[in-house]
Amino acid sequence: MTVIESMKARGIIPRAALYARLQGSGSHVYASGGDLTIEAASITVENNTTGTGAGDDFSGGALRSSASIYLTSTEGDIVIAGNTADYSGGALYAEGGVEIASSQNVSLTGNTAELGDGGAIYSLEDVVITPGEGGAVSISDNKAELYGGAIYSAGSVSLSGGPMEISGNTAGSGGGAIYAEGDVNISADAGDIIFSGNQLADGTANDFELWG
């Protein structure tokens, strides 16, 4: 695990490289002093893991922050795929909010929270996902043992932009795709919104769940 002590970690790979890629077992990154910010032409976060154990130290299969996480692509897609946390936040775990803004498409696919919440994203504040003009959002095949097969938010969840497909996500206890303690706002100005095959572990159809 890499521990970043500075207030802001900007670019896991130097921005001069243009493309940020966090890949491979053991690439778990923790920003302990504040926000974790990655800005690059395109961003790929895939096939990372925390290792085995319970609690916060084993949350956030790829990225964990004591504050917020900001991912911004300026030219291409943002892909977050195949990451695993032994506890919560299969890919991203933030004690603040999570904002993902892509110039094109956003994909959250095949991420897993083995023992906790948020198959792809766990956030103690708001989660905001926005693709670029003409871009799409795909949130599919994520899994959490407890709540929020794809996204767990103690705040609100906002998805906006182009067409959206939210499919095949599974949670053990609630929120097959999305679990939020605040509002869930989903809008597609340039396409359809498709919910399909999201479920609880017992097979009950369940797209999202609000608490509070």
Side-chain angles (χ1 to χ4, degrees):
M1 181 178 74
T2 301
V3 178
I4 301 170
E5 297 290 353
S6 63
M7 285 300 293
K8 184 165 291 188
R10 181 174 291 277
I12 293 169
I13 293 176
R15 293 184 64 187
L18 294 181
Y19 298 92
R21 179 177 291 272
L22 179 63
Q23 183 176 26
S25 179
S27 291
H28 173 72
V29 172
Y30 174 37
S32 66
D35 296 336
L36 196 163
T37 298
I38 301 173
E39 182 178 334
S42 66
I43 298 172
T44 300
V45 179
E46 62 181 3
N47 301 328
N48 301 284
T49 181
T50 58
T52 303
D56 289 353
D57 286 345
F58 297 91
S59 294
L63 304 174
R64 178 163 70 98
S65 174
S66 62
S68 295
I69 294 174
Y70 300 95
L71 304 181
T72 303
S73 72
T74 58
E75 296 179 17
D77 297 340
I78 295 178
V79 177
I80 300 172
N83 302 284
T84 301
D86 209 51
Y87 199 59
S88 292
L92 311 180
Y93 180 99
E95 294 177 31
V98 172
E99 294 188 16
I100 299 173
S102 173
S103 65
Q104 294 191 26
N105 304 303
V106 177
S107 176
L108 308 176
T109 305
N111 302 286
T112 303
E114 295 280 8
L115 300 175
D117 308 303
I121 297 172
Y122 179 100
S123 173
L124 290 179
E125 295 181 6
D126 298 341
V127 174
V128 179
I129 299 175
T130 310
E133 185 175 353
V137 174
S138 176
I139 301 174
S140 63
D141 301 320
N142 302 285
K143 183 177 180 180
E145 176 68 16
L146 298 177
Y147 293 90
I151 298 171
Y152 176 100
S153 172
S156 64
V157 174
S158 177
L159 311 177
S160 62
M164 299 188 187
E165 182 172 357
I166 303 169
S167 63
N169 301 287
T170 303
S173 300
I178 299 169
Y179 181 92
E181 297 186 15
D183 296 331
V184 174
N185 301 296
I186 301 174
S187 63
D189 300 329
D192 297 329
I193 299 171
I194 299 172
F195 280 90
S196 174
N198 303 295
Q199 62 181 5
L200 302 182
D202 64 5
T204 303
N206 188 280
D207 290 321
F208 61 89
E209 185 170 329
L210 305 179
W211 184 90

